[in-house]
Amino acid sequence: MMVESATETIRTTSSNQNGVSSLSSQSEGGGREGGSNGDTNGEISPVDLLHLQQQQALQAARQFLLQQATGLSSPSSNEVKQSPVQVPVSMAMMTPQMITPQQMQQILSPPQLQALLQQQQALMLQQLQEYYKKQQEQLHLQLLSQQQQAGKQAKEQQQLGSKQLAFQQQLIQMQQLQQQHILNLQRQGLVGLQPGQGAVPIQSLQQAMCPTDLQQLWKDVASVQSAEEAIKHEGLDLSTNSSNSTSYSASKVSPQIPHHPLPNGQNSVHTPKRDRARLFEWISSFTKGESSDEHLTPYSKGTPLQSTHSTHEEHTASHPLYGHGECKWPGCEALCEDMGQFIKHLNSEHALDDRSTAQCRVQMQVVQQLEIQLAKESERLQAMMTHLHMRPSEPKPFNQPLNLASSGSLLKRDSEGFPEGLPHPPTSAATPITPLRQGPSVISSSSLHGVGPIRRRNSDKFCTPIASELAQNCEFYKNADVRPPFTYASLIRHAILESPDRQLTLNEIYNWFTRMFAYFRRNTATWKNAVRHNLSLHKCFVRVENVKGAVWTVDEVEYQKRRPPKMTGSPTLVKNMISGLGFGSLNASYQAALAESSLSLLNSPTLVNNSTGASLNMLHVGHDDVSSTVEQVNSNGSCSPGLSPQQYGHHVHVKEEPAEMEEDSRPVSLIASVTQNLSMPGDERDMDEELPTEELE
DNA sequence: TCGAACCTAAACAGCA
DNA sequence: CTGCTGTTTAGGTTCG
């Protein structure tokens, strides 16, 4: 996705600004120039011509690089439209160290980078080939014109013949040189791929983009420049030189310098002097911070780096290119004892020359990629937030579970059905999303309550166990008028289990709701009715007549049984959960969640062995482990610790039983309770599937 | 499409 | 009579 758009960006930039045609037009200009030279100065020697051609070639190649870099700094409208958050490269170039290779490695995924680079490689190679082709045509034209001249002047025929021969030889040499150059670029990764070439050596880009490699990459750029210098100064002799100096492992990936043209579309057949002057203008416009300041993003604006840089970098106490006693120029790492030495080093080694400029361009490219990536990620974030109805302007809590964000009803399946049993993504249990949420100031809109119920089972099912979720977000729910992502049943159960005696009166349940959740401080009639409804409806809630009145308890077995663990939703999740019992390399919080999940899973009747008595005991033990250990650990601490494990599940099916009966039934086994229950014909709820055998089978 | 689970609303009864 | 508690029914949504 990102690669697509990135290349698209490049393409649009190129097409908009004559990127592709600039080379050809340039070579055409060069051709005309060479042609006129040939016409007017027939005396020009082939060697001079060749030298001129070479210089033109070098100049064009350099210009080509410059155009790419310049094109980056002037994003087209498409780019702007495409990535509103995009940061202009100009200011990034001022502080090349702002985005380190490590950061780049972190942000850009290797496949993305690789694909992008390959695209750019292909494009660049294509253009280079095109350029060389033009050069060859040019030479042929000149040859032709010379031949015509020769035809007119038969007198000098022989001389010309030898001249032609020499010229042709040089032409061949020139072609070899060009091929060598392309090959050389390919080796260095600057041009890596023939356009039609499908198979690309898949190398680990991550490895390629590790800091050391990036440094090497910088050095490589420098070597390219050196090679070009060599070409310039040594004429034809460069081939061995450059290829040797750039013997570079093909497995390395160098950053591709895309072919962005000059923004003004100028042809670049300038003399080197003029080119440098323009280059200096171009760079100094950044270093002076004139135009770049308006491009500063909130991220970079006002940072120390930026501020020091925008003043006068050479004279500030701290230099963005200087740190830890060494030069931070990409690929340099020269040790400088003090700032003065560094300044000296900077001025001598990183003066305004082709190499530094090329490095600047590469850095710009790096920044550009990062910006594209940032824009993409920002877009994604926006889309996600929009999807979750959590636009940044909205004061809704970020930590709000997905389901309740959309409507504001209780979740359909909560941790109750898969109660603390299922593993949950570390979103709420292990990962610190919490800092992102907005906290107590969050007051939900009326839409939260006005809209009908929207429940999502899945998130409820596999997300957070109520205990850990509540433990983590206790304060949040207390203050934020946000509907908790749990079912009434799970909340009631949690409230009861959290109580010292694991039993609550209805009013105490009400109080727990209002105490724990700001949401339940209004619309009391509705949710209280729902609570009562749930208490009555679910068999897992057992009403016990106490001396002080009726209290409600939880039949954990029934609760677990109530919803058989349908793990169809995420088999791998279950698998991982089970395999995660080893708790190998997970972090502590997630281990806790896993432990909770695993224990709960063990409690699940479907996973327990089927022999009645043992299973029941096991059930009890395991279940108590979950409830007393996990729940208490994970709850917000209000649980009373003094309860014996056997207290769970003892009040099973004592509904409508007299209080003393309940008291006596405490030590009684579950079987006894169930048997008792069987004798109650009125309780139909307990009749279906309540037999112990069924329960355990 | 169907069933399960859940939510909401409401009717009703019993009791203090 | 009122309010609380508890039960039951009905209708709706969501999801597998």
Side-chain angles (χ1 to χ4, degrees):
Chain A
M1 182 172 79
M2 168 225 155
V3 176
E4 276 181 3
S5 66
T7 50
E8 182 59 31
T9 299
I10 291 167
R11 276 194 212 104
T12 53
T13 310
S14 303
S15 60
N16 286 348
Q17 302 178 350
N18 278 332
V20 179
S21 62
S22 69
L23 260 185
S24 50
S25 66
Q26 171 197 337
S27 57
E28 280 166 15
R32 280 193 296 271
E33 192 179 355
S36 65
N37 278 346
D39 287 343
T40 55
N41 303 336
E43 269 69 37
I44 187 167
S45 72
V47 178
D48 287 343
L49 184 62
L50 191 58
H51 188 69
L52 181 66
Q53 296 284 341
Q54 289 167 359
Q55 282 201 341
Q56 283 180 0
L58 284 172
Q59 189 63 38
R62 195 173 296 114
Q63 191 63 38
F64 178 50
L65 295 176
L66 178 64
Q67 285 169 354
Q68 291 160 353
T70 320
L72 286 180
S73 65
S74 59
S76 68
S77 58
N78 274 359
E79 280 182 49
V80 175
K81 205 192 311 173
Q82 179 183 29
S83 52
V85 209
Q86 199 157 350
V87 185
V89 196
S90 53
M91 65 87 192
M93 183 186 159
M94 293 168 58
T95 56
Q97 80 290 358
M98 277 179 61
I99 300 178
T100 65
Q102 290 91 339
Q103 286 172 320
M104 176 177 172
Q105 187 185 359
Q106 286 171 356
I107 295 175
L108 290 180
S109 71
Q112 287 174 330
L113 255 180
Q114 189 169 18
L116 178 66
L117 294 184
Q118 285 168 5
Q119 280 271 9
Q120 294 174 355
Q121 285 174 359
L123 275 168
M124 187 176 172
L125 178 65
Q126 194 177 4
Q127 293 196 350
L128 271 178
Q129 285 177 335
E130 199 176 328
Y131 168 70
Y132 281 129
K133 198 178 161 190
K134 298 257 178 190
Q135 293 276 319
Q136 287 180 10
E137 287 173 4
Q138 217 175 299
L139 288 173
H140 279 293
L141 276 175
Q142 288 168 5
L143 187 63
L144 197 64
S145 71
Q146 285 214 353
Q147 279 175 340
Q148 287 170 351
Q149 252 188 346
K152 290 174 187 173
Q153 305 173 353
K155 201 174 158 187
E156 305 173 43
Q157 183 105 19
Q158 271 192 337
Q159 239 183 346
L160 196 59
S162 61
K163 243 184 185 179
Q164 276 181 357
L165 190 63
F167 190 65
Q168 280 175 343
Q169 283 175 349
Q170 286 176 348
L171 177 63
I172 292 172
Q173 248 179 328
M174 177 70 182
Q175 289 171 349
Q176 287 173 348
L177 164 70
Q178 290 166 354
Q179 287 171 357
Q180 188 84 27
H181 195 105
I182 290 181
L183 192 66
N184 196 24
L185 287 176
Q186 282 178 324
R187 277 198 199 138
Q188 298 170 33
L190 284 175
V191 179
L193 179 65
Q194 299 277 348
Q197 225 170 329
V200 184
I202 301 299
Q203 53 250 15
S204 163
L205 205 92
Q206 194 171 1
Q207 181 193 354
M209 294 311 292
C210 74
T212 53
D213 283 342
L214 208 63
Q215 297 280 326
Q216 178 61 42
L217 190 146
W218 286 113
K219 289 168 185 165
D220 233 48
V221 173
S223 70
V224 175
Q225 295 291 325
S226 309
E228 290 182 353
E229 294 289 338
I231 294 173
K232 205 192 298 182
H233 291 109
E234 301 169 24
L236 297 177
D237 214 359
L238 85 160
S239 52
T240 56
N241 197 1
S242 61
S243 61
N244 284 343
S245 66
T246 57
S247 60
Y248 190 62
S249 164
S251 67
K252 310 262 180 176
V253 172
S254 302
Q256 300 314 302
I257 305 179
H259 48 280
H260 288 283
L262 284 171
N264 50 10
Q266 265 182 325
N267 283 346
S268 50
V269 202
H270 313 296
T271 63
K273 209 174 187 177
R274 194 172 151 196
D275 191 6
R276 286 195 183 208
R278 217 159 48 84
L279 205 93
F280 179 77
E281 269 182 44
W282 175 64
I283 290 183
S284 60
S285 72
F286 297 131
T287 50
K288 283 174 186 168
E290 303 165 353
S291 59
S292 61
D293 213 21
E294 61 196 69
H295 298 310
L296 288 182
T297 64
Y299 304 100
S300 58
K301 208 170 199 170
T303 58
L305 283 184
Q306 203 65 31
S307 58
T308 54
H309 207 48
S310 59
T311 55
H312 213 77
E313 58 180 23
E314 268 96 350
H315 298 340
T316 48
S318 68
H319 196 287
L321 288 174
Y322 181 67
H324 299 293
E326 63 180 29
C327 175
K328 295 290 185 183
W329 188 277
C332 179
E333 294 176 330
L335 293 176
C336 303
E337 288 178 8
D338 54 10
M339 181 61 77
Q341 192 179 344
F342 164 72
I343 297 293
K344 229 178 263 179
H345 162 81
L346 194 66
N347 287 331
S348 62
E349 297 297 319
H350 308 300
L352 179 59
D353 57 4
D354 293 334
R355 193 185 68 166
S356 302
T357 311
Q359 289 173 327
C360 255
R361 291 181 206 125
V362 174
Q363 182 67 23
M364 286 169 62
Q365 177 69 14
V366 168
V367 173
Q368 173 79 5
Q369 302 310 325
L370 291 173
E371 288 164 357
I372 292 172
Q373 178 71 13
L374 173 66
K376 288 286 164 194
E377 295 301 328
S378 298
E379 269 184 15
R380 189 182 300 179
L381 173 64
Q382 287 292 329
M384 289 168 69
M385 294 177 76
T386 304
H387 171 69
L388 299 180
H389 297 256
M390 289 160 61
R391 293 173 188 85
S393 57
E394 285 188 24
K396 290 189 179 176
F398 200 81
N399 195 23
Q400 197 169 342
L402 306 187
N403 36 19
L404 64 99
S406 56
S407 82
S409 324
L410 285 177
L411 280 185
K412 186 135 188 220
R413 306 246 190 139
D414 52 355
S415 41
E416 79 177 17
F418 236 22
E420 0 268 0
L422 276 181
H424 43 285
T427 51
S428 79
T431 54
I433 304 182
T434 344
L436 289 177
R437 72 186 185 208
Q438 306 202 2
S441 63
V442 177
I443 301 299
S444 76
S445 60
S446 60
S447 66
L448 260 184
H449 312 283
V451 183
I454 296 181
R455 301 169 288 270
R456 303 186 197 280
R457 287 187 205 175
N458 52 350
S459 49
D460 191 28
K461 207 175 188 175
F462 296 109
C463 268
T464 65
I466 184 171
S468 55
E469 165 74 15
L470 276 183
Q472 289 213 339
N473 304 314
C474 177
E475 286 303 315
F476 169 68
Y477 289 123
K478 275 182 184 173
N479 298 312
D481 190 7
V482 167
R483 188 156 202 162
F486 312 107
T487 61
Y488 282 114
S490 61
L491 286 174
I492 294 168
R493 171 181 171 268
H494 187 74
I496 293 172
L497 296 184
E498 207 183 49
S499 69
D501 296 328
R502 315 234 157 168
Q503 58 182 26
L504 287 178
T505 65
L506 181 64
N507 200 41
E508 286 169 339
I509 295 174
Y510 289 161
N511 291 337
W512 184 86
F513 269 71
T514 51
R515 188 176 70 248
M516 297 298 291
F517 303 97
Y519 177 81
F520 292 121
R521 284 164 206 158
R522 359 187 251 105
N523 293 337
T524 56
T526 300
W527 66 263
K528 281 181 178 177
N529 184 25
V531 166
R532 289 196 306 272
H533 166 77
N534 274 268
L535 281 172
S536 294
L537 193 68
H538 297 307
K539 286 177 283 188
C540 60
F541 297 120
V542 183
R543 183 178 178 272
V544 176
E545 288 289 339
N546 211 343
V547 276
K548 0 171 210 179
V551 292
W552 289 93
T553 62
V554 176
D555 178 3
E556 195 66 22
V557 177
E558 192 64 33
Y559 185 90
Q560 302 287 345
K561 190 187 95 177
R562 194 165 53 88
R563 196 141 30 126
K566 298 175 191 170
M567 305 210 174
T568 57
S570 173
T572 55
L573 205 59
V574 179
K575 200 168 117 193
N576 291 339
M577 177 183 64
I578 294 173
S579 65
L581 283 172
F583 306 123
S585 58
L586 299 175
N587 62 50
S589 52
Y590 198 62
Q591 278 185 15
L594 261 184
E596 179 178 359
S597 307
S598 310
L599 285 171
S600 189
L601 195 70
L602 284 177
N603 291 331
S604 171
T606 58
L607 294 186
V608 175
N609 209 355
N610 292 353
S611 71
T612 41
S615 300
L616 276 177
N617 288 338
M618 195 175 179
L619 216 60
H620 269 266
V621 171
H623 150 351
D624 291 332
D625 280 346
V626 177
S627 304
S628 59
T629 306
V630 178
E631 288 271 80
Q632 289 184 12
V633 164
N634 285 339
S635 67
N636 55 7
S638 61
C639 294
S640 82
L643 220 58
S644 88
Q646 275 102 11
Q647 277 187 302
Y648 254 135
H650 282 177
H651 317 292
V652 188
H653 311 310
V654 290
K655 213 165 191 172
E656 304 299 327
E657 288 289 318
E660 54 274 13
M661 180 71 188
E662 191 269 334
E663 291 288 334
D664 291 340
S665 70
R666 279 193 159 213
V668 181
S669 73
L670 179 64
I671 296 182
S673 300
V674 172
T675 317
Q676 261 182 347
N677 209 4
L678 285 177
S679 64
M680 300 192 310
D683 200 341
E684 293 176 10
R685 299 185 310 169
D686 295 337
M687 288 301 289
D688 51 345
E689 291 186 5
E690 279 294 340
L691 292 175
T693 50
E694 285 185 59
E695 209 172 274
L696 299 169
E697 287 169 6

